[in-house]
Amino acid sequence: GRALLADDMGLGKTLQAISAAAWLARHEGVERVLVVCPASLKHQWAREIQRFTSLSVQVIEGNPIQRRDLYRDLDFFNIMNYELVHYDEEELIRRQFDLIILDEAQRIKNWRTKTADRVKRLRSPYAFVLTGTPLENRLDELYSIFQFIDPTILGPLWRFNERYYETERRSSGSYRVLGHKNLDELRRRIAPYVLRRVREDVLL
C-alpha cells in the first residue's frame, strides 16, 4: 500500500501510478487521490489520466479563493504542485485522501526544507513515491523519502546515521563522514517497499 517506484526515466512511472490508483478505486474503495508534482507537470498528469481512465480529475491552481472552491468539491484525482502544499497545508489536512502520489520525489530529499516538512505531514492509507533517482548524493536523501513512505522502516535519524555511516570524531567535537557501512542490510530493509527497473531490463 505504500511504495517507492524508482524505475529509470522513460519507463512509465506515471502510467503505472495511474493504473494502480484505478485498481485501488475498483478493488479497495479508494475515492480521493492527491497527486503532488512539479508545476510544469500538472497538466501533463491530467492529460494522462483523461487518456487512460474515465475517472474525474482536476488541477488545483489559481488564487487562494479559487483553490478553496476546488478543495470543497474534490474530484477522484486532484493534482497540485509542491509549492502549494506549503501554502494550503490546512486545507489539505482537513480533507482525507485515500492515496497520495508524489512525483519527482527528489523534491523531498532534503529533509531540512519546509516543502519536505509540509509534505510529510500529509496522511493517507496508501502512498506512491515516484523518482528515477532515489539516491543521488547522500544516504539521508533516501532516508527523507522513507520518512514519507513509513517513518518506522528506517527509524530515527540518529540511529540510521549510527548504523549506516562511518564517521570520525574531530577535535572540535563534530563528526566527519568517512563512508558507509551495512549497505546490504539497508537494501534488505527497504526491498519490500521498492520497485525498480532499469532500461536494460525492459529494452525489448
Side-chain angles (χ1 to χ4, degrees):
R2 303 181 72 83
L4 168 62
L5 181 55
D7 283 359
D8 271 353
M9 285 182 63
L11 299 186
K13 290 187 290 294
T14 301
L15 182 53
Q16 289 181 69
I18 292 169
S19 302
W23 189 95
L24 288 169
R26 183 174 298 175
H27 298 285
E28 297 294 332
V30 164
E31 295 178 350
R32 283 183 182 170
V33 177
L34 177 66
V35 178
V36 184
C37 64
S40 60
L41 298 180
K42 288 191 295 188
H43 291 278
Q44 182 179 322
W45 264 90
R47 286 193 298 272
E48 295 287 292
I49 289 164
Q50 290 165 340
R51 180 181 174 194
F52 290 107
T53 81
S54 57
L55 296 162
S56 61
V57 57
Q58 68 174 352
V59 175
I60 295 173
E61 58 189 355
N63 62 45
I65 294 170
Q66 291 169 322
R67 299 200 305 272
R68 202 170 299 131
D69 288 341
L70 295 173
Y71 288 124
R72 284 197 195 101
D73 189 21
L74 291 170
D75 282 358
F76 181 84
F77 283 102
N78 304 274
I79 306 167
M80 68 189 308
N81 54 290
Y82 281 93
E83 291 77 14
L84 285 185
V85 176
H86 178 75
Y87 294 114
D88 295 356
E89 181 185 0
E90 288 184 17
E91 290 282 359
L92 292 168
I93 288 174
R94 273 204 293 270
R95 273 91 190 152
Q96 177 59 52
F97 292 97
D98 304 306
L99 164 64
I100 296 176
I101 300 171
L102 302 185
D103 190 19
E104 300 290 345
Q106 53 268 32
R107 294 292 296 274
I108 66 162
K109 279 182 179 178
N110 186 345
W111 56 271
R112 298 177 184 85
T113 65
K114 288 182 179 179
T115 297
D117 180 60
R118 297 296 194 281
V119 168
K120 289 172 194 175
R121 293 183 197 182
L122 301 176
R123 296 287 178 264
S124 63
Y126 298 96
F128 303 146
V129 176
L130 282 52
T131 175
T133 53
L135 182 61
E136 286 182 294
N137 300 308
R138 298 159 53 99
L139 267 190
D140 55 8
E141 295 174 345
L142 186 68
Y143 178 86
S144 186
I145 288 173
F146 268 86
Q147 274 190 306
F148 177 78
I149 295 170
D150 183 345
T152 66
I153 296 167
L154 296 179
L157 183 59
W158 65 267
R159 187 178 296 155
F160 177 85
N161 288 343
E162 193 177 72
R163 186 69 187 157
Y164 301 114
Y165 278 103
E166 291 276 9
T167 57
E168 176 184 73
R169 187 161 189 152
R170 293 174 167 147
S171 56
S172 63
S174 63
Y175 287 89
R176 182 167 70 99
V177 173
L178 301 176
H180 303 108
K181 59 184 179 181
N182 302 317
L183 293 183
D184 287 341
E185 176 198 294
L186 178 59
R187 289 188 193 97
R188 286 194 299 272
R189 285 179 75 175
I190 68 173
Y193 309 93
V194 179
L195 300 165
R196 177 164 175 79
R197 299 176 305 159
V198 296
R199 287 177 180 274
E200 290 74 20
D201 295 336
V202 292
L203 268 179
L204 297 178

